[in-house]
Amino acid sequence: MTMTELKHLYHQNLLAEAIIEPSSSDEGWIVEFRHKQGGFLMLTDIHGAECQYNDLDKASKSALAVGFTEVRIEAK
């Protein structure tokens, strides 16, 4: 889901938490959000490709931009 779509869900109080975890295909990081009704939503670009970050700080800033004040980081 795009940043805009995730912000909309956050403001509807439908997201439980933001999670940064290692990318399975690279050395980078991906950002996911846990939906309150179950399941995970990945941050994607407007074309539906997952957003990958080489820098943990940039990944955190993207997760926080949705609206959360805390982000859970999964270890590599």
Side-chain angles (χ1 to χ4, degrees):
M1 298 194 87
T2 66
M3 180 70 70
T4 301
E5 293 168 324
L6 289 162
K7 284 181 180 181
H8 184 69
L9 292 175
Y10 177 83
H11 290 295
Q12 290 181 314
N13 200 29
L14 295 174
L15 299 178
E17 71 176 323
I19 305 161
I20 297 173
E21 59 184 39
S23 172
S24 60
S25 62
D26 204 311
E27 293 287 323
W29 301 90
I30 59 170
V31 181
E32 290 185 330
F33 297 87
R34 187 166 55 86
H35 196 284
K36 286 188 174 179
Q37 294 178 347
F40 293 90
L41 305 169
M42 184 178 302
L43 175 60
T44 64
D45 63 20
I46 59 170
H47 304 291
E50 70 181 25
C51 294
Q52 291 194 24
Y53 299 88
N54 292 329
D55 183 281
L56 187 56
D57 189 47
K58 289 180 182 178
S60 296
K61 286 179 182 178
S62 289
L64 294 172
V66 169
F68 286 95
T69 57
E70 294 182 356
V71 178
R72 179 164 52 107
I73 299 172
E74 295 287 325
K76 284 194 173 192

